[in-house]
Amino acid sequence: VRFFLPMAIAAYERAGELDADGLFHQSLLEAAAGDPDAARKTAERILATSPRHLLGLAAAAEAARAAGDERAARRYYERFLAAYDEERARPLPEYRDHAPLLAAARDDARRFLGR
């Protein structure tokens, strides 16, 4: 996996304009490659156009945690939980495709925040 990660990341970077789902996947690859700063920057690209997007918030929170920035992770998780019900009701394909992941991220956010 480590051998192919740089190629996968490069492919996403060359793909042109990515939608939120594509950026989410790129962020996951960057995180898996051990680059939480790049993962967070990519997640922030989602949030720049859709500040309540659950995949962007979840990816940003995980990247902040991986970077040791607990304060930022807390802020992302709080935003995630505040937006969850309303956002989850939106008929976005990426929410449908990642439904189990979103539920797991909600549980992670609650645990992290002690709720």
Side-chain angles (χ1 to χ4, degrees), residues 87-111:
E87 278 293 303
R88 196 60 191 89
R90 293 178 64 200
L92 298 178
E94 62 265 34
Y95 288 176
R96 182 191 64 239
D97 295 345
H98 296 292
L101 184 143
L102 289 171
R106 182 194 57 212
D107 295 342
D108 289 343
R110 287 176 176 162
R111 273 192 299 276

Side-chain angles (χ1 to χ4, degrees), residues 23-24 26-31 34-48 55-76 79:
L23 290 170
F24 173 69
Q26 181 178 340
S27 178
L28 292 180
L29 290 170
E30 291 163 340
D35 192 349
D37 293 333
R40 187 170 168 186
K41 285 179 187 173
T42 300
E44 281 291 346
R45 289 176 56 198
I46 300 168
L47 300 175
L55 294 176
L57 290 167
E62 287 301 313
R65 285 178 72 179
D69 190 345
E70 301 289 311
R71 182 184 233 172
R74 178 171 295 282
R75 286 192 308 268
Y76 288 122
R79 288 172 56 193

